[in-house]
Amino acid sequence: MFRLAATALQKKLQESRAQRWIAVALSLAASPVGGAALAQDASMPGPQSGISNKMTRAAIQKKSRPATLPRSSRSQQPVHLSASEALAQTANAFAAKRDSAGLVAKNRTQQKVESFAKFEGLREKGMWLSIPGPADTIDQDYGGVRSALAEVGIGYIGGTVNTFVANQLPNAARSTIRDQLYAGQNPTFNTLNFMIATYDLSRFGIPDGQIIVGAQQQYWTWKPGGPDRAGINTIAYYQTLFGGKLELEMGYLRNINEFVGTVVGGNAAVNVFGASSNILYQAGMSNNAAPTPALNLKYNFDERFYNRTSIQRSLSPDGQFAHITENPTGLDWSTANSGVLFLDEAGYKNKAAPGLPETWLRVGAGFNNSSYTDLRYPAQPRANANSIYYVAADRQLWQSDLQGSAARGIYAGFSVMYAPPDLNRVSQYYELRLYAKGLLRQPSTRPDCPRCHQHCVEQRCSGCCHG
């Protein structure tokens, strides 16, 4: 009896081994036609694709089951997959892993963008000049200092500009000019440092309300370029009225940042040393080194058309050097012979958008009742009738990043300024400009940037914009 039982058990084991070898042979036989089967699955539904989908769903369901299921509820039968089924399952698993990584990257980027978005309302308001935001500064939010200040409504921005200019002509280094006439004729160094703080008044129900306080220090080795000073560069109050239609700003203002758009092309050298700023300063327009009391009103007809008006205490009619020498702190109400400058600018400005290039047109005039010296008759009594006129335009010619920042690209523009030659040493100014913004490719900070997102997912980046 024991011999019969042993013989039956041996026969059953042989049959089981034979079945396993048959299953292996069938699996190997399916491999040469795996590519054709996969192509058929991709082109149309069939029995094979149905099996693949069933197996994928079974795998997902199995993965989602609790780990504490009793062993008796699990299938004890081995599952044999064809090559096409194995490839489909692997592809699905990779896609799920990629989507999961993409979601994590997107969430990290969104958190980074939102962490700096809370500072936007604390940036200085009222200017046409766009100063870099907190995300583009060196300190950003190091140690949480900026966040802590933002909690109580305080924002800040600081900067330093340092310039060295030297004459590179032959033998220039062997001698110096006793009476230097311009920056760089002798080696010339200057430094300018500033800090501006804002306080948010909208928390008290004042629409876009803001208090702005700033200080500035500058030093020149060639004193007529400056001169040296340490004082304010602004003390201002800003708010909007009538749902944003009217913008009001008053205090010690720098109208060079609110009218004309002198540095729209980023050519700071022209506006520091050249005639563009000189002709405006001659007319009495206030600036960073020489703020003056003013009341500014801007009326927005719609999102593009505007008119801006200012009643401003003029700079000294004897020039910026005389003004800063007499009033280095900038706190004095007026200087000798200075009167009132009336400014008005009408303009059209649309911001860049995908497929919509940026355009800015403006025309303006200023009238000053300060006591100016008549250059034709310097010994005669001073005259009280200076003026300035200007027209300028800038247009975006090409957008280099439609999916990211539409403002990036190539621009062109021109400026024309005029002032009476009998009262102004520089009476005419003409400029043609061609410039670019953001042509160098950089990681996007947009969470929906497909190019950067896909790159980060594929390369598994740990230090770019997607974390």
Side-chain angles (χ1 to χ4, degrees):
M1 182 175 182
F2 288 104
R3 180 176 299 177
L4 291 176
T7 302
L9 178 60
Q10 182 179 3
K11 184 177 181 181
K12 186 174 183 179
L13 289 175
Q14 289 176 353
E15 290 177 355
S16 177
R17 291 175 183 174
Q19 289 175 357
R20 285 200 297 268
W21 281 109
I22 293 173
V24 171
L26 290 175
S27 178
L28 293 175
S31 298
V33 296
L38 185 60
Q40 181 182 0
D41 293 343
S43 61
M44 64 179 182
Q48 189 73 3
S49 62
I51 294 175
S52 176
N53 292 334
K54 290 179 181 178
M55 296 307 302
T56 303
R57 287 195 298 269
I60 295 175
Q61 292 174 0
K62 180 179 179 181
K63 185 176 181 181
S64 63
R65 290 174 183 170
T68 57
L69 286 176
R71 293 181 57 90
S72 60
S73 64
R74 301 180 183 179
S75 175
Q76 300 297 325
Q77 298 297 327
V79 178
H80 301 285
L81 301 178
S82 67
S84 61
E85 293 169 350
L87 288 174
Q89 186 171 350
T90 303
N92 290 335
F94 177 79
K97 182 178 181 181
R98 181 187 60 190
D99 293 342
S100 177
L103 181 60
V104 171
K106 183 175 181 179
N107 289 338
R108 288 179 179 175
T109 304
Q110 186 67 33
Q111 292 173 359
K112 181 178 180 180
V113 172
E114 292 176 352
S115 65
F116 286 102
K118 63 185 178 183
F119 303 125
E120 287 300 310
L122 298 174
R123 298 176 65 176
E124 183 177 355
K125 300 177 181 179
M127 301 189 303
W128 68 265
L129 180 64
S130 179
I131 296 177
D136 298 316
T137 60
I138 295 177
D139 61 318
Q140 293 192 343
D141 192 20
Y142 183 76
V145 174
R146 194 183 295 272
S147 291
L149 292 173
E151 290 294 328
V152 294
I154 298 175
Y156 70 91
I157 184 71
T160 180
V161 179
N162 301 277
T163 306
F164 178 77
V165 185
N167 190 345
Q168 296 299 303
L169 294 176
N171 302 319
R174 298 182 181 179
S175 63
T176 58
I177 308 300
R178 178 178 179 181
D179 297 321
Q180 184 177 347
L181 299 177
Y182 57 88
Q185 188 176 22
N186 291 333
T188 304
F189 170 78
N190 78 282
T191 179
L192 186 153
N193 308 282
F194 71 93
M195 175 66 72
I196 298 174
T198 65
Y199 183 70
D200 178 27
L201 296 176
S202 64
R203 57 179 52 208
F204 303 113
I206 301 174
D208 301 308
Q210 190 176 74
I211 293 176
I212 310 153
V213 179
Q216 178 174 310
Q217 178 269 335
Q218 66 181 35
Y219 168 80
W220 288 72
T221 56
W222 178 54
K223 301 309 177 184
D228 302 345
R229 74 175 291 262
I232 66 168
N233 70 356
T234 187
I235 300 177
Y237 170 86
Y238 172 91
Q239 77 164 88
T240 60
L241 300 165
F242 310 114
K245 282 287 187 180
L246 184 65
E247 300 178 48
L248 178 149
E249 188 173 16
M250 57 185 177
Y252 286 83
L253 307 183
R254 308 104 77 208
N255 273 336
I256 197 70
N257 294 339
E258 304 198 25
F259 287 81
V260 188
T262 54
V263 293
V264 67
N267 194 348
V270 170
N271 295 286
V272 172
F273 303 108
S276 175
S277 283
N278 285 348
I279 197 170
L280 296 171
Y281 297 167
Q282 288 175 156
M285 185 175 289
S286 59
N287 53 78
N288 291 281
T292 63
L295 170 65
N296 290 359
L297 295 173
K298 180 186 177 185
Y299 185 77
N300 301 298
F301 295 96
D302 54 25
E303 294 182 353
R304 300 182 180 183
F305 289 94
Y306 69 89
N307 190 85
R308 188 191 296 267
T309 303
S310 177
I311 303 174
Q312 177 213 304
R313 172 62 69 179
S314 172
L315 296 186
S316 170
D318 296 323
Q320 174 131 332
F321 182 87
H323 180 94
I324 296 178
T325 301
E326 184 179 348
N327 183 19
T329 64
L331 290 170
D332 293 346
W333 180 258
S334 65
T335 53
N337 299 312
S338 63
V340 177
L341 171 64
F342 300 91
L343 287 167
D344 188 81
E345 176 181 292
Y348 169 94
K349 185 175 185 178
N350 74 275
K351 296 183 179 180
L356 179 64
E358 181 175 318
T359 303
W360 188 16
L361 309 174
R362 60 268 192 207
V363 57
F367 301 93
N368 195 329
N369 64 5
S370 299
S371 297
Y372 282 82
T373 299
D374 191 328
L375 299 179
R376 298 171 300 176
Y377 312 105
Q380 297 294 324
R382 290 172 175 258
N384 300 327
N386 198 11
S387 58
I388 184 175
Y389 309 88
Y390 64 87
V391 59
D394 288 88
R395 170 74 172 182
Q396 187 177 17
L397 304 180
W398 175 63
Q399 294 180 315
S400 62
D401 188 7
L402 289 176
Q403 300 298 327
S405 175
R408 295 172 60 183
I410 296 177
Y411 293 73
F414 72 88
S415 296
V416 177
M417 302 181 188
Y418 174 81
D422 55 335
L423 300 177
N424 301 275
R425 297 187 181 278
V426 180
S427 64
Q428 299 181 51
Y429 179 80
Y430 305 91
E431 176 180 302
L432 291 175
R433 51 186 172 268
L434 180 66
Y435 56 99
K437 295 182 181 180
L439 289 188
L440 298 179
R441 181 175 295 180
Q442 59 184 357
S444 171
T445 58
R446 292 172 55 91
D448 56 347
C449 170
R451 182 178 64 248
C452 186
H453 171 74
Q454 184 63 27
H455 169 79
C456 290
V457 170
E458 293 176 354
Q459 302 299 322
R460 300 179 182 177
C461 298
S462 59
C464 73
C465 64
H466 286 286

